[in-house]
Amino acid sequence: MKFDIGTFIFQVINFVVLLFILKRLLYRPVREMLQRRRDLVEETMRSAEEARNEALALKERHRSEVELLQGEHEQMLQKMKEEAFEERKRLLADAQQEAAALIGREQALFEGEKSRFEAELKDQAVEAAAMFSSRMLRDIVDEELHRGIWRKFLDQLESLAADLGGRCASKDPVEMDLRTAFDLSDAALQELRAVLEENLSRKVTLNVTTSEDLIAGVVLRACDLVYDFSLSGQVEDLRRRLQGGD
């Protein structure tokens, strides 16, 4: 095959023109498109990186918030436990106080009932003892015992008269009531009146009554004073002492 230089040159020229045309019409748009695509990829990658960083930051913030919430939750639980414990202690203390108060009231009521029962029992025992003593004395008493008490009364008459003299300040006649368990002779009454008038330096009037309730002995009443020398008075005095009285 014969080489034609003219044809070769013509083909070279055509190729160069074609390259020029391709460069002018195709290469620049393709390059621009590729550049835009590259820029788009870079922007997408940059956006993805920013989104990733934001996601990591959001995740870290979320983790911090979760930890903070967990801490607050634990503190809240601890506070609730402490408040519940304090409330339980308060309720328990209130219950113990109420129980103690109830026990105290019941104890006081029991002690009151016990004291009342003991007092009633004591009073009944004292009354029974006094009644028994009175009955026993009535069974054994006689006029001789009565005279013995009368003599004891006369032995103390002077001191009694001195006491009466301080109470009966007036010089007017004195009226006295004399109760006796047994009848007294006129001589015994005269003796009594004489001793009283001598020590009081005034006239004495005796109102004499006989009372078997005295069992034995006498009771003299004058100037708001009472001198009890009777067995019933001694039994009554014993009853008061047993009951805790004066």
Side-chain angles (χ1 to χ4, degrees):
M1 182 175 180
K2 186 178 178 179
F3 178 73
D4 189 355
I5 188 64
T7 303
F8 175 76
I9 294 172
F10 178 75
Q11 290 178 346
V12 170
I13 293 171
N14 288 337
F15 180 74
V16 171
V17 171
L18 180 61
L19 288 177
F20 178 77
I21 293 172
L22 289 175
K23 181 179 180 182
R24 296 290 295 181
L25 298 178
L26 184 63
Y27 177 71
R28 180 176 293 176
V30 170
R31 189 182 64 180
E32 292 177 353
M33 182 184 66
L34 291 175
Q35 184 64 36
R36 286 196 300 271
R37 180 170 295 179
R38 186 166 50 250
D39 293 341
L40 179 62
V41 170
E42 291 177 354
E43 179 68 21
T44 302
M45 291 179 64
R46 186 168 55 254
S47 298
E49 183 66 21
E50 291 177 355
R52 177 176 175 275
N53 292 334
E54 290 179 358
L56 290 175
L58 181 62
K59 179 180 179 181
E60 182 64 23
R61 186 166 63 251
H62 177 70
R63 185 184 63 80
S64 300
E65 292 177 352
V66 169
E67 291 178 354
L68 179 61
L69 289 175
Q70 287 179 346
E72 292 179 351
H73 179 68
E74 291 177 357
Q75 292 178 357
M76 185 179 297
L77 288 178
Q78 183 64 27
K79 183 178 180 181
M80 291 176 62
K81 289 180 181 179
E82 293 175 355
E83 291 178 351
F85 180 72
E86 293 297 328
E87 182 66 14
R88 178 175 175 273
K89 286 175 59 178
R90 186 185 67 80
L91 293 175
L92 182 59
D94 292 343
Q96 289 176 343
Q97 290 179 355
E98 291 179 0
L102 179 60
I103 293 174
R105 288 194 298 269
E106 293 296 329
Q107 185 68 24
L109 181 61
F110 172 76
E111 292 296 334
E113 290 296 321
K114 178 183 177 183
S115 298
R116 185 180 63 81
F117 176 75
E118 290 177 348
E120 290 179 354
L121 186 62
K122 179 180 179 181
D123 289 341
Q124 292 175 2
V126 170
E127 290 295 337
M131 185 177 297
F132 175 77
S133 299
S134 297
R135 289 180 179 178
M136 183 181 66
L137 290 173
R138 291 181 189 279
D139 291 339
I140 65 174
V141 73
D142 56 13
E143 194 169 354
E144 183 62 31
L145 177 59
H146 173 73
R147 286 195 296 267
I149 298 174
W150 172 256
R151 287 191 295 270
K152 181 179 178 181
F153 170 67
L154 292 178
D155 291 339
Q156 299 184 26
L157 191 56
E158 289 187 4
S159 61
L160 297 181
D163 187 28
L164 282 171
R167 180 61 65 92
C168 304
S170 175
K171 296 299 182 179
D172 296 333
V174 180
E175 186 173 350
M176 301 183 183
D177 295 327
L178 181 67
R179 294 174 59 208
T180 175
F182 291 86
D183 292 334
L184 294 173
S185 63
D186 293 338
L189 293 175
Q190 184 61 35
E191 181 183 4
L192 173 61
R193 185 180 295 107
V195 174
L196 290 172
E197 290 179 347
E198 179 181 357
N199 285 274
L200 293 175
S201 301
R202 71 194 71 179
K203 183 175 178 58
V204 174
T205 301
L206 289 176
N207 299 319
V208 182
T209 58
T210 303
S211 176
E212 295 181 355
D213 294 339
L214 299 180
I215 305 176
V218 295
V219 176
L220 179 66
R221 182 187 299 272
C223 300
D224 298 328
L225 295 176
V226 178
Y227 303 98
D228 194 336
F229 285 80
S230 66
L231 288 183
S232 63
Q234 295 182 28
V235 171
E236 180 64 21
D237 182 64
L238 176 62
R239 184 183 67 81
R240 284 196 300 268
R241 285 189 283 109
L242 290 175
Q243 290 178 336
D246 295 336

